[in-house]
């Protein structure tokens, strides 16, 4: 459905060029919900806008559904209205002085493919029914809540019967509870319609809930592509691991193929990867196992619980081993508020990467 090859885009900042996209290659299948995930400045919105035709890349090629929409070498640059897309912006772009129906109707009665009034009305009613706003046609847009505005923006994007739906941080302006409800509705609706979605967010939880696959981006590059489980449990680099969920970091030095000397003691790891000299090791908070009694297993250490926070469905604890403080997540019933504890770090849950300048500059807490 989406095929991107060698895409590059630079922006001018004063007298120097800033690379927003650095040779992006990407394939998105028909019917796939694909998420671009990354911090601000990673290039994810620039990539989305390039697919939409709202940004003109400096180099590369973009094809949608087998048709070339942009090619620097062939001098092709189709306008947005020729690309068969629907788009939901972060700001929703709702006109407050128009009704809900008029906001949706604008995309149907203006531009290249103007529809007859009767057909436009039918499209509007159908789009509103999809987002469960059937009785809102004549409602002034200024009277809508944030969640209703988001649904109107989605209905407007769906009204053009797009082959591809592009969404740029559409939930960032909603409160936490409403955001959870709306993202569930978006996933159900797009699955029901079988539509291809390219979705931008900086929220890792949002990405994991929605995506079939995710591309983690940083500094205009794609660091790794995979499904949520693959990215969380098998990150290709420390940058992916750091961004994709909470993680505890330890500095270490390889003693042999399965043993690493760290600041909390010697750790045994799985020998799937072979590194030499200095490494960094990561372990997720939920994999830091706290037990009252010592257990006779490898990677067992004596620790001290400094503080515990109860969060409803889980509890988080700060655990000190020697001079290092690790974050642990447990079930509420298993919580130990403070005091001595035995800590187990399962070797199969530890990720290991060679220490580079990037790793040394990470915030190891």
């Amino acid at each position: 459905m989406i095929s991107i090859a060698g895409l590059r885009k630079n922006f001018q900042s004063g007298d120097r060029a800033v690379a927003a996209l650095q040779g992006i290659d990407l394939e998105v299948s028909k019917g796939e919900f694909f998420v671009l995930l990354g911090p601000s400045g990673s290039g994810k919105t620039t990539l989305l806008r390039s697919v939409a035709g709202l940004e003109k890349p400096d180099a590369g090629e973009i094809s949608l559904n087998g048709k070339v929409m942009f090619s620097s070498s062939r001098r092709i640059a189709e306008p947005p209205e020729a690309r068969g897309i629907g788009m939901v912006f972060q700001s929703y772009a709702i006109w407050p002085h128009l009704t809900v129906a008029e906001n949706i109707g604008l995309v149907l009665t203006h531009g290249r493919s103007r529809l007859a009034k009767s057909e436009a009305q039918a499209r509007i009613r159908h789009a509103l029914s999809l987002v469960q706003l059937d009785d809102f046609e004549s409602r002034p847009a200024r009277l809508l809540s944030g969640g209703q505005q988001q649904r109107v923006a989605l209905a407007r994007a769906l009204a053009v019967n797009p082959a591809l739906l592009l969404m740029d941080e559409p939930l960032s302006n909603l409160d936490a509870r409403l955001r959870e409800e709306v993202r569930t509705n978006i996933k159900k609706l797009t699955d029901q319609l079988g539509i291809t979605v390219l979705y931008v967010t900086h929220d890792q939880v949002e990405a994991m809930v929605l995506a079939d696959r995710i591309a983690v981006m940083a500094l205009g590059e794609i660091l790794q592509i995979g499904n949520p489980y693959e990215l969380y449990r098998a990150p290709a680099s420390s940058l992916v691991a750091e961004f994709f969920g909470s993680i505890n970091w330890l500095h270490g030095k390889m003693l042999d193929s399965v043993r690493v000397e760290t600041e909390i003691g010697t750790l045994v790891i799985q020998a799937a990867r072979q590194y030499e000299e200095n490494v960094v090791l990561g372990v997720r908070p939920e994999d830091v196992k706290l037990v009252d009694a010592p257990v006779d297993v490898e990677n067992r250490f004596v620790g001290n619980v400094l503080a515990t926070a109860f969060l409803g469905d889980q509890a988080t604890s700060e655990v000190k081993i020697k001079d290092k403080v690790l974050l642990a997540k447990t079930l509420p019933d298993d919580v130990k508020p403070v005091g001595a504890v035995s800590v187990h770090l399962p070797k199969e849950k530890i990720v290991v990467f060679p220490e580079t300048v990037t790793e040394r500059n990470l915030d190891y807490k």
Side-chain angles (χ1 to χ4, degrees), residues 1 7 9 14 22 56 58 87 103 125 127 140 160 164 225 232 241 258 302 353-354 357:
M1 177 64 194
L7 209 65
K9 176 66 177 179
Q22 302 192 60
K56 186 177 180 181
D58 298 321
M87 188 156 183
N103 266 281
R125 285 192 292 270
V160 298
L164 171 64
I225 297 174
Y232 191 79
V258 295
V302 176
F353 304 104
V357 173

Side-chain angles (χ1 to χ4, degrees), residues 33 35 204-214 225-235 244 284:
F33 201 120
V35 173
Q204 59 189 260
V205 174
E206 193 172 298
M208 293 174 77
V209 169
L210 291 171
D212 296 316
R213 286 192 303 151
I214 299 166
I225 297 174
N227 64 45
Y229 184 85
E230 290 169 341
L231 294 174
Y232 191 79
R233 282 301 178 189
F244 210 78
R284 300 286 185 189

Side-chain angles (χ1 to χ4, degrees), residues 72-148:
S72 56
S73 61
R74 297 160 62 181
R75 298 181 181 276
I76 297 173
E78 296 288 351
E81 60 270 22
R83 300 194 180 200
I85 61 170
M87 188 156 183
V88 180
F89 297 92
Q90 183 176 356
S91 64
Y92 310 145
I94 299 297
W95 295 95
H97 62 287
L98 299 179
T99 66
V100 167
E102 288 168 342
N103 266 281
I104 298 173
L106 281 175
V107 299
L108 302 174
T109 57
H110 294 72
R112 287 185 172 186
S113 304
R114 296 186 181 185
L115 301 181
K117 186 176 181 180
S118 58
E119 186 178 354
Q121 287 299 321
R123 290 270 195 100
I124 291 168
R125 285 192 292 270
H126 178 62
L128 287 175
S129 70
L130 289 175
V131 298
Q132 300 175 342
L133 290 177
D134 304 72
D135 299 325
F136 280 68
E137 279 189 61
S138 58
R139 179 76 60 89
R142 67 179 181 277
L143 300 182
L144 299 175
S145 67
Q148 290 166 345

